[in-house]
Amino acid sequence: MTAKRRPLIAGNWKMNGLQSDGLALAYSVGEYLKAKEDPSFEMLVCPPFTILTATNVVLSDTDVKLGAQNCHTAEKGAHTGDISVAMLAEAGCSYVIVGHSERRTDCGETDEMVCAKAEAANAGGLTAVICIGETEAERDDGKTLDVVKTQIAGSVPGTATAENTVVAYEPVWAIGTGRTPTNDEVQEVHAFIRSELADKLGGDIADGIRLLYGGSMNPGNANDLLALDDVDGGLIGGASLKAADFGAVADCC
Ligand code: PEP
């Protein structure tokens, strides 16, 4: 982590959080951040759509940012069950996660679709958190860097900037499993991602884009992961569902 990029500690609540539990969690995260004087990091929570607006109210007197977990590319129209960027912005979101591996797997999202979602998010004023990462089979085959290279080429818009884009490296096999790559492996992939972004977007932009690590980050491993040069925060699933754990991860920044 370097001083020139402000770390982002992001919680992906996935399909968890009925109103009472979700709002209590958001309140606790807000109180945690309010108690920090001039925090060096930024905090983001990404609850389910159903409680975005209510969460925004709970967080209104805090600096915790609100994000969604997906968006559609169209502004409006006949897309049953989908949600537009304008709707997310109206609900109070400033971020949206796109291309999470669970959506790539469950919903068949391709790099092209992820890129279009990121572009739509940016056009609507939201910062896209673009997720990439290899499966276990791909890692075992020694294809991690090839996979990541292809995903960056296909999923990151050519218009990406340090303000409108965050990239989350999430090895699929590390998500929700309690397993993580070694610190050296994480740093190797993050440095590679930054060099690919530099080729695509230019060195200045690549230097400013925050690269999050995601996959079983928790209070026990966050200190080491967040100390790596090219890790600028975390995208945290399970450990973001307990305010104490989420705060303990942020404390490692
Ligand atoms: C995620 O889903 O983005 C994630 C990183 O989950 P977990 O922290 O539970 O592995």
Side-chain angles (χ1 to χ4, degrees), residues 2-88:
T2 138
K4 78 177 152 187
R5 295 182 291 269
R6 188 160 189 234
L8 176 63
I9 300 298
N12 174 15
W13 294 5
K14 311 193 190 198
M15 202 168 69
N16 297 294
L18 295 177
Q19 183 114 329
S20 58
D21 288 348
L23 299 189
L25 175 56
Y27 177 79
S28 300
V29 174
E31 291 303 296
Y32 163 85
L33 196 59
K34 275 161 73 177
K36 297 271 162 202
E37 216 171 284
D38 200 15
S40 60
F41 55 87
E42 192 179 358
M43 279 183 117
L44 164 68
V45 293
C46 302
F49 296 137
T50 47
I51 60 168
L52 283 174
T53 304
T55 304
N56 190 42
V57 173
V58 169
L59 295 176
S60 59
D61 67 338
T62 82
D63 290 329
V64 179
K65 301 286 189 331
L66 186 67
Q69 301 170 23
N70 180 40
C71 64
H72 197 274
T73 54
E75 282 175 29
K76 58 181 177 175
H79 301 287
T80 303
D82 270 308
I83 192 153
S84 75
V85 171
M87 290 168 183
L88 299 179

Side-chain angles (χ1 to χ4, degrees), residues 9-243:
I9 300 298
N12 174 15
W13 294 5
K14 311 193 190 198
M15 202 168 69
N16 297 294
L18 295 177
Q19 183 114 329
S20 58
D21 288 348
L23 299 189
L25 175 56
Y27 177 79
S28 300
V29 174
E31 291 303 296
Y32 163 85
L33 196 59
K34 275 161 73 177
K36 297 271 162 202
E37 216 171 284
D38 200 15
S40 60
F41 55 87
E42 192 179 358
M43 279 183 117
L44 164 68
V45 293
C46 302
F49 296 137
T50 47
I51 60 168
L52 283 174
T53 304
T55 304
N56 190 42
V57 173
V58 169
L59 295 176
S60 59
D61 67 338
T62 82
D63 290 329
V64 179
K65 301 286 189 331
L66 186 67
Q69 301 170 23
N70 180 40
C71 64
H72 197 274
T73 54
E75 282 175 29
K76 58 181 177 175
H79 301 287
T80 303
D82 270 308
I83 192 153
S84 75
V85 171
M87 290 168 183
L88 299 179
E90 187 178 60
C93 292
S94 48
Y95 286 83
V96 59
I97 298 170
V98 294
H100 191 282
S101 63
E102 287 154 14
R103 291 203 59 85
R104 290 178 186 259
T105 303
D106 294 354
C107 309
E109 291 190 6
T110 62
D111 286 336
E112 196 182 4
M113 291 160 73
V114 173
C115 187
K117 287 181 184 220
E119 284 172 336
N122 295 161
L126 268 58
T127 296
V129 180
I130 303 173
C131 300
I132 59 175
E134 81 286 359
T135 63
E136 184 157 32
E138 288 163 344
R139 175 163 283 265
D140 290 346
D141 280 356
K143 292 188 183 141
T144 298
L145 299 186
D146 290 341
V147 169
V148 163
K149 185 182 178 82
T150 303
Q151 290 176 327
I152 291 169
S155 303
V156 178
T159 50
T161 67
E163 288 72 39
N164 69 19
T165 301
V166 172
V167 175
Y169 168 58
E170 300 205 300
V172 179
W173 53 274
I175 295 177
T177 60
R179 297 161 57 206
T180 58
T182 65
N183 295 330
D184 286 349
E185 287 167 344
V186 171
Q187 172 54 26
E188 181 195 17
V189 178
H190 277 233
F192 179 76
I193 292 170
R194 203 175 300 286
S195 77
E196 288 297 303
L197 291 174
D199 287 350
K200 185 177 175 115
L201 307 167
D204 283 353
I205 291 175
D207 268 355
I209 290 184
R210 290 175 293 179
L211 305 184
L212 310 186
Y213 169 77
S216 297
M217 187 182 267
N218 60 51
N221 59 25
N223 214 22
D224 288 344
L225 288 164
L226 293 171
L228 299 170
D229 282 353
D230 285 292
V231 174
D232 309 308
L235 181 55
I236 300 138
S240 73
L241 296 175
K242 286 193 184 142

